[in-house]
Amino acid sequence: MIKKTIHINCDLGEGGEFDEKLMPLISACNIACGGHAGNLETMHRTVRLALENNVEIGAHPSYPDRANFGRNHMEMTAEELKLSIEGQVLSLKQIVESEGGKLSHVKLHGALYNDAAKYRNISEIVVRSLEDLGDDLRLFVPLNSQLGELALGRFELYYEAFADRNYEKNYGLVPRSKTHAIIQDREAVFQHVRSIYKENKILLQNGEFLEAQADTFCVHSDTPLAVEILQYLQHKLAAENIYIKS
């Protein structure tokens, strides 16, 4: 029987207490690089942890809004946003290389991720910022997004689905302000991931399906019981001959 693999990523270096337990359970980490969270010390520490566990290292830039953890839209000029993104990614890239590693990808955070999914002007700034850095970086993009459409052919893309979040009809995530935004039950997370991975379908709360094909699945480090969820996913997927890519 051919062994199948699944790619799972996690946003780390954000001040959470479980990074050391989460890192061995994932394929890739997206490290906060000073916008919504993170500083030189946390970046160095998280990079070392990733290298020790042979986990892909990505930059996780956001709006420069630590007060709101990067979860609110910020009005910025195109040049201000471009410089912010470039500065965050370069900061982490230099740290990764100083630790003997290589930066593999970029995944936006929070409101910037959502805005780039919906608004072409924001996605254009993101793409231009990363192109100007001149590195061969993969880009994690939301399903059915403006960013994915604009970046196609310009970057290697990984289409991302969220293992622990419910979706709306437009492929957007259910807002965190709603009670059913986050999937916290381990079996429900597994069934959600399994449906997307094996059937290319996202089950909505109303019973309808969205067509979807994902290259990587995200489990948020601040989701309650994230460690237990990932351990459960590892166990249940292995029972179906699917293994987390390492």
Side-chain angles (χ1 to χ4, degrees):
M1 185 181 293
I2 298 175
K3 179 179 174 180
K4 299 177 181 178
T5 60
I6 187 169
H7 191 277
I8 294 182
N9 75 82
C10 194
D11 308 333
L12 299 177
E14 297 179 320
E17 56 183 308
F18 299 114
D19 285 15
E20 291 188 10
K21 293 182 178 179
L22 291 165
M23 195 71 82
L25 301 171
I26 59 178
S27 310
C29 64
N30 320 300
I31 300 177
C33 38
H36 65 290
N39 54 42
L40 293 178
E41 180 184 350
T42 62
M43 285 189 273
H44 273 287
R45 184 167 65 244
T46 312
V47 166
R48 291 187 199 116
L49 188 60
L51 292 172
E52 289 167 8
N53 287 275
N54 194 32
V55 169
E56 297 168 13
I57 301 172
H60 196 38
S62 65
Y63 285 123
D65 181 18
R66 299 175 78 90
N68 297 296
F69 199 66
R71 286 184 173 153
N72 292 351
H73 170 76
M74 280 188 75
E75 289 294 332
M76 303 177 69
T77 67
E79 187 63 18
E80 286 171 341
L81 181 56
K82 182 176 182 292
L83 288 173
S84 177
I85 293 169
E86 289 175 351
Q88 291 177 62
V89 175
L90 278 173
S91 177
L92 184 69
K93 178 179 182 291
Q94 290 167 358
I95 287 172
V96 174
E97 292 175 352
S98 76
E99 295 287 353
K102 186 177 187 300
L103 190 67
S104 72
H105 65 275
V106 173
K107 173 189 166 180
L108 305 177
H109 168 82
L112 183 57
Y113 184 99
N114 295 332
D115 286 352
K118 293 184 289 187
Y119 306 120
R120 195 164 186 87
N121 65 316
I122 300 295
S123 60
E124 285 174 346
I125 296 167
V126 171
V127 167
R128 195 162 69 248
S129 302
L130 300 180
E131 282 184 330
D132 284 355
L133 290 176
D135 287 304
D136 186 22
L137 296 170
R138 291 198 307 274
L139 184 58
F140 288 10
V141 298
L143 300 169
N144 195 41
S145 66
Q146 288 288 323
L147 180 59
E149 181 181 315
L150 189 66
L152 186 64
R154 300 162 78 173
F155 294 90
E156 179 185 357
L157 302 183
Y158 270 31
Y159 292 93
E160 180 180 45
F162 288 88
D164 51 9
R165 294 291 301 275
N166 278 311
Y167 281 80
E168 297 188 317
K169 285 185 178 182
N170 64 355
Y171 288 88
L173 299 176
V174 173
R176 286 178 177 268
S177 57
K178 296 185 178 180
T179 56
H180 62 289
I182 301 172
I183 309 172
Q184 299 187 44
D185 178 77
R186 297 180 305 173
E187 179 63 21
V189 172
F190 167 67
Q191 292 297 336
H192 182 58
V193 169
R194 186 183 186 278
S195 175
I196 301 171
Y197 181 85
K198 299 194 79 170
E199 301 175 24
N200 297 331
K201 291 181 178 179
I202 298 172
L203 177 62
L204 302 179
Q205 290 292 290
N206 63 4
E208 296 178 7
F209 283 95
L210 292 175
E211 295 297 323
Q213 189 167 351
D215 301 302
T216 186
F217 293 81
C218 175
V219 174
H220 287 94
S221 61
D222 59 354
T223 292
L225 303 178
V227 174
E228 289 82 353
I229 286 171
L230 275 166
Q231 290 170 336
Y232 187 79
L233 268 181
Q234 189 176 56
H235 169 71
K236 293 284 284 189
L237 289 167
E240 300 196 19
N241 198 39
I242 303 168
Y243 298 88
I244 295 174
K245 184 180 178 183
S246 59

